[in-house]
Amino acid sequence: MPSTWLRWAPWPSAVQQSSFYGYTGMLPKRYTQGVMTGESTAGVMVSLSRILTKLLLPDERAGTLIFFLVSAGLELLCFLLHLLVRGSRFVLYHTARPRPGRRAGYRVHHDVAAEDVHFEHQGPGLANGGSPKDSPAHEVTGGGGAYTRFDVPRPRIRRSWPSFRALLLHRYVVARVIWADMLSIAVTYFITLCLFPGLESEIRHCILGEWLPILIMAVFNLSDFVGKILAALPVEWRGTHLLACSCLRVVFIPLFILCVYPSSTPALRHPAWPCILSLLMGISNGYFGSVPMILAAGKVSPKQRELAGNTMTVSYMTGLTLGSAVAYCTYSLTRDAHGSCPNHSAANASFPAGL
């Protein structure tokens, strides 16, 4: 049963994340940055929760139960806040689309005396049948002759799902404009997932023990949060420049490997090295993972912003998937590292006792 839950759990998350980025793509750019910062806030809360439960609760089952109860409460709070925000005037202004029943129409007037026919445009209220009289045709007699109004029949709009070819074509048109941003965010998260949390969680120290990976991941989440806040700075980036900077982050891969290899005496075995590298990787991940998402929606027309947000999410998830696959390959470098400490059980004691 747990394996079935794990198999289906990512699907709702992927749909929800894609929907949120597509939804915020229709809002001004700074709101996309707010969603990205909210993701980092969740990571910070998870790290702090892990530290507190390990310090205060020696029973892991009780700590796990408290963690999931708090997470469920936060999920419910976010759901209620989302319902409130969706109904706000600001969000409705940016996301409302003209409906077929609300478009403007016109009236046809026939002057019987002058034998003249003219058209008069009307607003949405009259187009919905808001005439002085609700009958389909009526006569008005005036000094200049008799006028007869004829309601123009509205064409029936046939709604249907777009074809698969049309879906691909629409995404191709958007991808031609934001291709550099798509590659930038994919490369950024690919490099990050190659190292975090897989390789970082396997880094050990003979004194700090299991506290070192907890501290490393806390440093990463905090620095990622800072990086996504820095993404709000008004800096003009070209797509190719963002892609080049994202590719430069590949230098973190060999540096983190030196923190665990060789397993007996790693080249960068001091615990300060993985903390510093995690700090730099977190800041760069937060910044270069947010800026492409923020800028992509502004490069397309307003009608295509939602699609641009969905397309960027696909690139984001592609980077996550490929990075996770590579992380399985790097696991072989650290599987024998846990036995390198002579007194491994003492190193896994509480943090104050370990020091």
Side-chain angles (χ1 to χ4, degrees):
M1 184 65 71
S3 61
T4 304
W5 293 347
L6 292 175
R7 188 181 301 115
W8 291 101
W11 292 97
S13 176
V15 173
Q16 174 260 346
Q17 197 167 30
S18 178
S19 301
F20 274 165
Y21 283 124
Y23 199 71
T24 54
M26 297 184 290
L27 304 178
K29 293 189 296 183
R30 64 179 180 271
Y31 292 93
T32 302
Q33 187 259 345
V35 173
M36 303 291 291
T37 306
E39 285 189 346
S40 295
T41 305
V44 172
M45 295 174 65
V46 168
S47 296
L48 294 179
S49 174
R50 176 59 178 148
I51 293 174
L52 291 176
T53 53
K54 190 172 179 62
L55 278 174
L56 303 177
L57 298 173
D59 187 3
E60 291 188 2
R61 291 178 62 89
T64 303
L65 179 61
I66 292 176
F67 171 76
F68 280 105
L69 288 177
V70 172
S71 300
L74 291 175
E75 288 282 350
L76 179 61
L77 177 62
C78 292
F79 175 73
L80 296 176
L81 291 176
H82 174 67
L83 293 179
L84 292 176
V85 170
R86 281 189 62 185
S88 64
R89 295 178 60 186
F90 173 80
V91 173
L92 291 176
Y93 172 79
H94 285 280
T95 59
R97 295 180 176 178
R99 299 177 181 176
R102 298 180 59 185
R103 66 180 183 276
Y106 59 92
R107 289 183 296 180
V108 182
H109 293 268
H110 180 206
D111 190 341
V112 180
E115 296 183 355
D116 183 25
V117 178
H118 66 279
F119 299 88
E120 177 183 349
H121 289 278
Q122 58 179 344
L126 291 176
N128 291 331
S131 59
K133 297 182 180 180
D134 294 330
S135 59
H138 65 276
E139 296 182 358
V140 180
T141 305
Y147 292 84
T148 305
R149 171 192 164 191
F150 300 93
D151 279 347
V152 179
R154 297 174 190 165
R156 293 184 178 180
I157 298 179
R158 188 177 181 181
R159 297 182 180 181
S160 60
W161 290 97
S163 63
F164 182 74
R165 181 176 180 274
L167 292 175
L168 291 180
L169 181 61
H170 292 161
R171 280 155 178 77
Y172 171 73
V173 171
V174 173
R176 287 188 59 184
V177 180
I178 60 173
W179 65 270
D181 300 300
M182 293 170 57
L183 290 177
S184 178
I185 196 170
V187 170
T188 297
Y189 283 98
F190 167 75
I191 295 173
T192 299
L193 264 291
C194 286
L195 305 170
F196 178 87
L199 186 63
E200 286 194 357
S201 64
E202 299 298 325
I203 299 177
R204 293 292 188 271
H205 190 259
C206 292
I207 297 177
L208 296 177
E210 292 183 352
W211 276 101
L212 182 57
I214 294 176
L215 295 176
I216 291 174
M217 288 188 280
V219 169
F220 174 84
N221 286 322
L222 285 170
S223 57
D224 180 67
F225 176 75
V226 173
K228 288 181 178 177
I229 292 178
L230 294 177
L233 296 177
V235 180
E236 294 295 332
W237 282 94
R238 294 181 59 183
T240 52
H241 293 170
L242 276 176
L243 179 58
C245 292
S246 299
C247 293
L248 288 176
R249 297 181 70 248
V250 74
V251 72
F252 288 115
I253 295 180
L255 290 176
F256 270 101
I257 290 177
L258 291 177
C259 293
V260 297
Y261 188 82
S263 59
S264 57
T265 54
L268 303 177
R269 59 181 176 272
H270 195 279
W273 281 111
C275 291
I276 294 174
L277 294 176
S278 185
L279 174 69
L280 298 177
M281 187 177 71
I283 293 177
S284 61
N285 179 79
Y287 187 83
F288 293 111
S290 299
V291 172
M293 187 75 75
I294 295 171
L295 297 180
K299 295 181 179 180
V300 297
S301 63
K303 294 182 179 179
Q304 296 175 327
R305 287 178 181 174
E306 183 179 5
L307 184 57
N310 297 138
T311 306
M312 290 294 293
T313 307
V314 172
S315 301
Y316 164 72
M317 300 300 291
T318 301
L320 294 180
T321 304
L322 296 178
S324 300
V326 174
Y328 281 106
C329 301
T330 60
Y331 177 74
S332 61
L333 299 174
T334 60
R335 60 186 177 186
D336 298 328
H338 297 173
S340 59
C341 294
N343 190 10
H344 184 66
S345 60
N348 291 333
S350 62
F351 185 64
L355 291 178

